[in-house]
Amino acid sequence: MGGSLEEAKAFREKKGKPKDRFFLRLPPRVERIHTITYAGTGGGKTVGIFRPRIALDAAEGNIAIIFDTKYPNPGDSYLDVRDWFRAFGRKVRIIDPFGMETGEEAVQLPVLKEVRDFPSALDAARLIYPPDIENADAASRVFVANARSLLAGILYALSTSSTERLSFQEAAKVANLDTASLQNWFRRYPEAMAAIQSTLAADKYVLSGAQNRLVTDLEIFVLDSADRLFQDGPRAVSVRELLREPGMIHLVFPERYIRGSAGRAILRFFKRFFDQAILRYAEELGRPLDIHVNYYYDELALFGFLPDLDSDLATLRSRNISVHMATQSRAQMEAIYGERWEATENNNVGTFYLVPGSYTPQEATYWSKMLGRYSFVGVSLG
């Protein structure tokens, strides 16, 4: 890449290291923008767009945060991408809620370490249940709001306990109690009980619905492997540590495990966790991040509805962070976000990659009309 045929031949003959190669890339002002790829199954999202970009992250010394929903499928996942970063002497960090990774590069994230009072417990609960999480009817929003309140109350209570452990696993066990036992449990923690009194005093149908929602969404967090991941152990790292040097942060989510509500909950959790931690770090620095961060969201539709996506994208870009999204079709995103998706595209996405071979006539018609609205003046980049 970026070398002549003669140079490539010489490289092969001397078995040079990857760092001996030359790379071509667009200038930062063009490259460091948000992108989205629309391509159907087998259309080339991973092989044609994400993998080459990540290879250049390894070469140039960026930070790549990869949400790998195809792990560990050969050819589709980013398992082998780790070798690219290792070849350049970059750090590889693996975040695995499913316990499939046990090597030295697998890390722990003690995300509940800062829970000391109800506001901090509510912040932790919002990682799973952001405000306006559901683009749905009023009844669903009621259950989500109460599930958030209930989770915050349980986490706050556990943080003050001398006998029970503060963890998502323990929180799920408490939420799974019958309604009467749940209320009795809270009587042992009067401050937590007072903080969510409106939820605990809600109609029995509403409270049991919130419990069921919480138990379902914490399904993956209950796994022993996920419980270890979120504990403060010998491999614990902070997001600040992850952002201080170039490297790869590989979040692995086998697709068969993340379909449905529980899968969306853990994907949203990690997205919000990294967004908040990175933005907080940038605020502490008082400037954009020193090392450029590229997020890679393959199969964006699996995340479900992400509230405030517009403002999130705008804020991240100003902090030296680019988001690269991929999904099978534009229709998928419209089904999740409705009419607001067009505004999200127009306001925040700098580059669209389209693979029309996989398009329905409706999709092709949309893009033909969209592209027909514009005329372009030639741009030359040295």
Side-chain angles (χ1 to χ4, degrees):
M1 296 170 65
S4 67
L5 291 175
E6 290 75 16
E7 288 170 330
K9 182 180 178 183
F11 170 80
R12 288 194 302 271
E13 288 175 350
K14 70 176 184 178
K15 295 183 172 58
K17 298 177 182 178
K19 65 179 66 176
D20 296 330
R21 299 303 306 273
F22 299 95
F23 292 92
L24 290 178
R25 197 166 190 172
L26 292 171
R29 68 182 178 86
V30 178
E31 178 64 23
R32 292 182 177 181
I33 55 179
H34 302 320
T35 71
I36 189 164
T37 301
Y38 291 114
T41 303
K45 299 186 293 292
T46 303
V47 174
I49 295 170
F50 275 19
R51 290 172 70 88
R53 182 184 288 274
I54 295 169
L56 291 170
D57 286 336
E60 294 183 343
N62 296 325
I63 295 171
I65 302 177
I66 303 169
F67 285 71
D68 190 350
T69 57
K70 297 173 180 174
Y71 174 92
N73 299 340
D76 288 333
S77 78
Y78 300 92
L79 190 60
D80 63 324
V81 169
R82 300 171 189 173
D83 287 336
W84 305 350
F85 286 84
R86 294 173 185 134
F88 285 94
R90 318 289 189 203
K91 283 276 190 180
V92 174
R93 312 277 194 169
I94 303 165
I95 298 171
D96 175 19
F98 302 94
M100 301 175 72
E101 295 280 352
T102 57
E104 292 182 0
E105 293 170 329
V107 299
Q108 293 174 285
L109 294 173
V111 298
L112 298 178
K113 192 175 181 179
E114 303 301 320
V115 174
R116 296 187 178 90
D117 50 24
F118 184 72
S120 58
L122 187 57
D123 285 342
R126 284 176 176 147
L127 292 173
I128 300 175
Y129 297 114
D132 297 326
I133 188 175
E134 297 293 346
N135 190 19
D137 55 66
S140 295
R141 293 187 181 189
V142 168
F143 287 132
V144 168
N146 281 283
R148 180 193 305 121
S149 173
L150 180 59
L151 177 57
I154 294 172
L155 293 176
Y156 177 35
L158 291 173
S159 73
T160 64
S161 175
S162 58
T163 58
E164 296 182 276
R165 189 167 58 91
L166 174 59
S167 70
F168 288 114
Q169 188 181 67
E170 198 66 33
K173 291 178 183 177
V174 174
N176 205 28
L177 296 171
D178 63 77
T179 302
S181 298
L182 176 70
Q183 291 173 327
N184 285 332
W185 183 86
F186 266 103
R187 289 190 179 94
R188 294 153 50 189
Y189 304 100
E191 290 184 5
M193 186 175 186
I196 62 165
Q197 188 58 46
S198 60
T199 294
L200 294 175
D203 177 271
K204 185 176 180 180
Y205 170 73
V206 172
L207 180 55
S208 63
Q211 286 181 256
N212 291 337
R213 178 68 189 250
L214 182 53
V215 170
T216 299
D217 287 343
L218 290 181
E219 181 181 316
I220 292 173
F221 293 83
V222 173
L223 298 174
D224 288 339
S225 53
D227 190 54
R228 285 192 299 273
L229 170 63
F230 296 124
Q231 293 302 310
D232 188 6
R235 295 184 182 176
V237 296
S238 68
V239 174
R240 292 176 182 81
E241 289 179 64
L242 299 177
L243 299 175
R244 285 178 183 148
E245 57 183 319
M248 173 185 177
I249 303 170
H250 191 193
L251 294 97
V252 300
F253 305 102
E255 189 171 349
R256 66 184 181 274
Y257 293 132
I258 59 169
R259 290 289 180 183
S261 178
R264 288 193 298 273
I266 199 161
L267 287 172
R268 282 195 305 262
F269 171 88
F270 277 111
K271 180 194 180 298
R272 287 185 64 83
F273 172 73
F274 273 101
D275 284 358
Q276 291 182 9
I278 288 173
L279 292 175
R280 197 177 299 122
Y281 181 55
E283 288 176 8
E284 291 174 8
L285 291 174
R287 61 179 185 275
L289 299 180
D290 297 322
I291 302 172
H292 185 71
V293 174
N294 280 314
Y295 268 117
Y296 295 92
Y297 298 140
D298 206 344
E299 302 298 345
L300 182 65
L302 289 175
F303 289 75
F305 181 78
L306 297 171
D308 300 323
L309 184 59
D310 278 5
S311 57
D312 287 349
L313 290 171
T315 304
L316 290 171
R317 185 178 176 188
S318 69
R319 304 298 194 275
N320 198 21
I321 302 162
S322 300
V323 178
H324 308 290
M325 303 165 281
T327 188
Q328 293 187 14
S329 70
R330 193 175 180 279
Q332 271 189 327
M333 306 315 298
E334 282 190 317
I336 296 170
Y337 291 92
E339 294 180 358
R340 75 179 74 185
W341 182 247
E342 185 167 2
T344 298
E345 290 177 317
N346 293 341
N347 294 337
N348 298 291
V349 178
T351 300
F352 296 84
Y353 295 100
L354 311 177
V355 184
S358 60
Y359 282 1
T360 63
Q362 181 181 0
E363 292 267 311
T365 300
Y366 172 84
W367 286 112
S368 294
K369 290 181 178 179
M370 177 61 72
L371 294 172
R373 295 178 192 175
Y374 301 96
S375 59
F376 294 89
V377 176
V379 177
S380 175
L381 299 173

